[in-house]
Amino acid sequence: MNTVITIGREFGSGGHQIGVELSKRLNIPFYDKELLERAAKDSGYAKDLFVSQDEKPTGSFLFSLVMDSYSSTRYGANVLSDMPLNQKVFLAQFETIKNIANQGPCILIGRCADYALEFDDRLLSVFLRANIETRIRRISALYELSNARARDKITKADKERASYYNYYTNKKWGSAQSYNLVIDTGLFGIDGTVDLIMKAIEEKERPEKHHIYEQPMYSSINK
């Protein structure tokens, strides 16, 4: 297996549990909060900085200029020194995501990992969603909240994740066009969703799939 899986998710859709189960079945590393620890270690910044900025929206014209040129040039020390701390933290995390993926197959959840790896042929980007009633039941049980408070928590988390993703990437959070695969976990359940992702990996890695568009539609024509 050579695939790197990234998982975007609506709050309460079961993304963490699905990532853990997928990691067990594939026997490859899974990074959720672990990514923050790794980024702190790699960068030398305190872990608390990554936790406080985790998937939180920001805004800066300077940062936009840096990210526009990131794929072709390394950001300069002078530019980096002028950048707000939260954006330095994002860039450090961005670099860590690429370093982790370079070590081999893995599962990365959230944190714009699909954007960091968008030009990597090994990437399978997945987004998990579910209807609001399903997510309210899950969050109410998980955090022992009333339905009203669970709904508020979901709304806030989704808004933050969407703002963070939409700002830092050139894509739209949750849009089918932004990912390779979008799955309704309320419809398929945890195990069913894992099965679908496993099947997608299998199909992605089939050698013959690379030749599907190279075969003539009617091989007997003009013979």
Side-chain angles (χ1 to χ4, degrees), residues 96-222:
T96 293
I97 288 169
K98 295 172 77 69
N99 290 339
I100 289 172
N102 284 338
Q103 293 175 356
C106 60
I107 302 159
L108 297 149
I109 195 163
R111 287 95 191 176
C112 302
D114 60 303
Y115 176 62
L117 303 174
E118 66 176 337
F119 299 114
D120 192 324
D121 292 338
R122 300 170 301 153
L123 174 65
L124 176 67
S125 60
V126 180
F127 188 84
L128 306 178
R129 63 167 304 277
N131 64 47
I132 189 64
E133 290 79 14
T134 297
R135 295 192 286 145
I136 286 174
R137 287 195 297 271
R138 182 180 182 86
I139 295 304
S140 294
L142 190 61
Y143 294 98
E144 298 182 349
L145 298 175
S146 67
N147 285 352
R149 291 190 64 188
R151 181 184 289 270
D152 288 344
K153 191 175 182 70
I154 289 168
T155 300
K156 180 181 179 182
D158 281 355
K159 184 177 180 180
E160 288 182 343
R161 288 176 180 177
S163 296
Y164 179 86
Y165 185 90
N166 294 346
Y167 179 78
Y168 282 120
T169 77
N170 56 0
K171 301 184 288 184
K172 183 177 180 182
W173 185 81
S175 170
Q177 294 179 338
S178 298
Y179 311 91
N180 301 134
L181 184 64
V182 178
I183 303 175
D184 185 336
T185 62
L187 178 62
F188 295 102
I190 299 299
D191 289 339
T193 297
V194 173
D195 289 342
L196 286 172
I197 297 173
M198 295 281 289
K199 180 63 176 177
I201 294 168
E202 178 185 337
E203 289 298 314
K204 181 180 183 300
E205 298 204 344
R206 277 198 306 127
E208 61 269 27
K209 82 172 183 63
H210 299 296
H211 306 292
I212 189 170
Y213 298 113
E214 297 175 10
Q215 301 299 323
M217 185 175 295
Y218 300 107
S219 58
S220 61
I221 291 179
N222 295 328

